[in-house]
Amino acid sequence: MYCCLSGWVDCAEYRGDYLEEHDYPWAQAKARELRRKYIRLVMDLAEWNMKHERGKDAMEQLLDLQEREPYAEEICRLMMRVYASMGDGQAILQLYSSFARTLLEDLGHQPEPETSRLFQELTAK
């Protein structure tokens, strides 16, 4: 459990999208909204952990999130920043290479310029 502004949150309790086991068209918009809120909450929590030198906790949260959203550039960028805060340049390289390969193989796309720029900045040091 983690403390946040809205109280205690146990991100491990997240079990999937709202009513995902049913095919209710009326629930799809609500499910998307709740998923976006969940992603934002976990990313905010990971950023808080990173800023408070709890990089390992942040990475646990982000790895779980990336498993659910493997093509999310924003998650990849935050993961690179967390690794940088931990001084782990090798992990940044592995993450970016794996992410770029996944995007190319699965979607035929390259990472966004913002993601590539961040990678270059973090590995140029």
Side-chain angles (χ1 to χ4, degrees):
M1 262 193 220
Y2 303 94
C3 181
C4 68
L5 295 176
S6 63
W8 289 95
V9 176
D10 188 352
C11 292
E13 291 297 314
Y14 183 79
R15 299 284 185 245
D17 290 342
Y18 178 67
L19 295 174
E20 72 179 341
E21 67 276 2
H22 303 288
D23 191 22
Y24 299 143
W26 56 266
Q28 292 173 358
K30 185 66 170 178
R32 283 191 299 276
E33 175 192 351
L34 292 172
R35 184 178 191 88
R36 279 192 302 273
K37 286 181 178 184
Y38 170 76
I39 290 167
R40 185 73 259 151
L41 173 68
V42 173
M43 291 187 65
D44 288 347
L45 184 57
E47 275 196 66
W48 186 91
N49 279 325
M50 177 183 68
K51 289 175 184 172
H52 290 86
E53 298 180 11
R54 297 178 57 175
K56 185 178 177 202
D57 291 335
M59 285 312 302
E60 287 177 16
Q61 294 151 354
L62 293 169
L63 286 167
D64 181 57
L65 196 56
Q66 188 185 45
E67 206 172 284
R68 297 173 193 277
E69 298 286 336
Y71 311 119
E73 302 256 354
E74 187 178 10
I75 295 169
C76 179
R77 289 190 294 267
L78 181 53
M79 291 174 79
M80 288 193 293
R81 290 199 322 272
V82 172
Y83 280 136
S85 76
M86 298 167 66
D88 195 344
Q90 187 63 34
I92 295 169
L93 177 61
Q94 290 173 346
L95 170 65
Y96 181 81
S97 298
S98 174
F99 182 73
R101 186 173 44 257
T102 298
L103 285 179
L104 188 59
E105 290 174 359
D106 293 358
L107 305 176
H109 295 148
Q110 296 291 327
E112 294 174 356
E114 184 180 350
T115 304
S116 297
R117 263 192 310 278
L118 179 62
F119 170 72
Q120 294 299 323
E121 289 172 19
L122 296 175
T123 57
K125 298 176 182 176

